Amino acid sequence: EVRGRGAERVVAIVTRFLEVVISNPGMQRWLADEGELAMRLLTRSDRGFQPRLIDWVERLLEREEVELDADRREVAYVIVRVIESYTYLDLILGERPDARRAEPILRLLLR
């Protein structure tokens, strides 16, 4: 359902993914009840989620043929950290999570 090409498509896909994660009732409940545990489980490499998410973003960057001035894997890692930052915004800063706030940051990163 996401249109566009290249970096703009990556921004749209990642922003949509973030919207889905943030609006998921199960995720909202889990973060509200077990926020610290959730962050630990989702960001540790030995639990498997973090490496899979980085791989997904890296493949997305490759598929969309985004030209980068840095290593693709490193950029994928940073994009995942942006996703996490905006997912856990309430736990980190006490602010409501908002995928749209990440959109200009992702655009800046991929221009």
Side-chain angles (χ1 to χ4, degrees):
E1 71 185 57
V2 174
R3 299 192 196 297
R5 298 171 71 160
E8 193 56 36
R9 181 171 166 78
V10 172
V11 169
I13 290 170
V14 171
T15 302
R16 180 68 184 126
F17 171 78
L18 189 50
E19 287 172 341
V20 169
V21 169
I22 289 171
S23 67
N24 180 280
M27 185 65 141
Q28 289 174 351
R29 176 76 184 253
W30 189 35
L31 289 174
D33 293 349
E34 305 276 346
E36 294 294 323
L37 175 63
M39 285 188 347
R40 251 193 342 264
L41 290 175
L42 294 175
T43 58
R44 289 182 48 159
S45 67
D46 62 342
R47 298 295 177 213
F49 179 77
Q50 179 88 178
R52 286 193 313 271
L53 187 55
I54 294 169
D55 289 345
W56 174 75
V57 173
E58 184 178 17
R59 286 190 310 273
L60 178 61
L61 291 167
E62 182 177 12
R63 187 172 61 244
E64 291 302 320
E65 299 176 353
V66 178
E67 291 187 30
L68 301 166
D69 292 331
D71 179 75
R72 185 183 302 125
R73 182 89 179 160
E74 291 299 315
V75 174
Y77 169 76
V78 171
I79 290 172
V80 167
R81 299 308 293 197
V82 169
I83 291 169
E84 293 167 349
S85 294
Y86 287 94
T87 299
Y88 311 135
L89 204 55
D90 58 339
L91 298 170
I92 297 169
L93 295 177
E95 299 175 11
R96 186 171 181 264
D98 182 359
R100 292 294 164 189
R101 285 177 59 182
E103 195 170 7
I105 305 305
L106 293 166
R107 228 177 240 112
L108 181 66
L109 181 62
L110 295 176
R111 68 176 160 154

